[in-house]
Each structure stands twice: as C-alpha cells, then as structure tokens.
Amino acid sequence: MKKRFLPIPLILLIPILLLITVIIAGVYRFSLTDEEIYQKQGRAIPTAVKEAPSLPEKSVMRQLFSLKSAQPWHIQLPDTDIMVELNDFDGKHENKRAIGSYVNGVEKGQLAVNYFKLLPINIGDPSQQMTFTVPYTVSNQGSGVFHYVGLFRLHHISKHIEQLDSLFLGDRIKLDNIEIDAPFDVTGSIIAHYHTHTTEQAMSEQPNQAISLTIKVENDQLNAY
C-alpha cells in the first residue's frame, strides 16, 4: 500500500492557521479585564482586582509603571502606622520625584521617591511580580532630610505595590548612586554609594565622607553589611 502525503500547500497552511489562532487568542485576552478573566474561569475575584480604579494620565502608577488601572502606591511613614499615598510629582528632569504629603499629629511633612534610582531585583517569578528597591526621603518642618532605601513588590495581576521593608541610610546625606552588586546574583545584593557628615562637620555643611554600603535582600528584608 502506497503512503499518502499531504499536498505541500496544505502543509504550509497548517502553521499559518496556528499563527492566526494564537493572534486571535492574544487579542481576545487583552480585550478582557482581569475581573472578566476571573469570572470566565469560575475563580473568586481578589479584592485588589475588584477595586483597582482607573487612573488619570498623570497619576504616579500610570506614569511610572504604565498601568491604566491600579491601586495607589502607599509607603509607610517610618516608626508610625501612617501610610503615605504617592499622588503627585515635584521637580524637573533628574530632580523629579514622586511625592506624597502626610500629617502626624502636629507634624506635617513630605515623602519623596527618587524613582530614577529604582532597581529591579532578581528574585521571584517576573511573570507574576517585580521586586525592586528604591530610595526615598522624609522631611518635615525641621531641617532634617531622612534618607531610606525601600524594598517593594509590584504584583502584576492585582496591580498593587506591597512594601516589604525599609532601611535608614542617614540624615542629610548626599546619595550618589545605588547599583546591583552582581547582576545575576539571586540574593539581590545592592550597593548604596553616598556621602555623610564626619563627626567634625556641622550638619549644615556638605557631607564629605564617602560610604559604600552593601545591602542584601534576605527573606524579603533589607540587611546592611
């Protein structure tokens, strides 16, 4: 019995049909909201997905992460239970910051995130979440400007940012740079380069003591070495 072969035009047509099917499926997926997808799968809709609001063009989450709907980004004010919402921008060019204001009793102040120094960390499943560090400052009516490095996680499905930890760097330091210690290091080590005041310096002077601080991400915490 002779073997039968598919005609060449039909053989070529099969991968083309598969490609068209994939394209149609992709267009259909992105035409649905996350809530509609959960409903079609018969799964419970997470609260964060249900409540993710549409965002204006100039919102922080839309400008920084290109999210048209998401939970606002909140950062905990150090040593308090106050969550500060980042809802505006201040400054220009490389000095531009994402900011939020707070009131703590009689104290009023501002929290400012230097998103130009945001660093994704090689931890977890990048298709589900992005873990990153970013420096921010806290200032109030006094003369102090307190610098921190925060550890955060952006969840892609629920579209919200979870704060995992923060580390105090110093008061009125000059932050020069933050870099990944080793790009393929799964421990997520970073190095913060900054200048701080010596014991002989007044706080009103420019800090002149160079510091390079190694910070490791361990169990969703920041540890300085």
Side-chain angles (χ1 to χ4, degrees), residues 63-83:
Q63 290 286 312
L64 299 189
F65 301 102
S66 301
L67 295 175
K68 294 183 179 180
S69 63
Q71 301 293 334
W73 185 359
H74 291 88
I75 296 179
Q76 185 173 4
L77 186 67
D79 303 319
T80 75
D81 294 326
I82 297 173
M83 301 301 292

Side-chain angles (χ1 to χ4, degrees), residues 89-178:
F89 292 94
D90 187 39
K92 295 181 179 180
H93 307 300
E94 69 274 6
N95 293 319
K96 193 173 183 180
R97 304 288 184 264
I99 63 170
S101 299
Y102 70 89
V103 177
N104 183 19
V106 297
E107 176 189 332
K108 295 181 180 179
Q110 184 182 85
L111 190 149
V113 172
N114 184 353
Y115 56 86
F116 287 103
K117 289 183 169 62
L118 187 152
L119 281 180
I121 302 297
N122 186 22
I123 291 177
D125 183 355
S127 67
Q128 297 294 319
Q129 59 197 23
M130 179 182 74
T131 303
F132 64 92
T133 63
V134 69
Y136 60 92
T137 60
V138 176
S139 57
N140 50 36
Q141 300 101 317
S143 56
V145 180
F146 304 100
H147 290 251
Y148 297 83
V149 174
L151 178 65
F152 301 89
R153 180 165 293 147
L154 171 62
H155 297 270
H156 298 319
I157 294 178
S158 59
K159 299 178 182 178
H160 82 281
I161 293 179
E162 174 189 7
Q163 182 173 357
L164 303 174
D165 199 13
S166 64
L167 180 70
F168 178 63
L169 294 179
D171 178 17
R172 282 167 282 187
I173 66 172
K174 179 180 179 294
L175 182 62
D176 301 310
N177 190 29
I178 296 181

Side-chain angles (χ1 to χ4, degrees), residues 13-45:
L13 186 60
I14 291 174
I16 295 174
L17 291 174
L18 289 174
L19 178 60
I20 292 174
T21 302
V22 171
I23 293 173
I24 293 174
V27 172
Y28 177 71
R29 162 61 183 87
F30 287 106
S31 68
L32 297 175
T33 65
D34 290 331
E35 188 170 345
E36 289 171 334
I37 292 172
Y38 277 96
Q39 289 175 340
K40 288 180 179 294
Q41 293 176 345
R43 297 163 58 192
I45 304 170

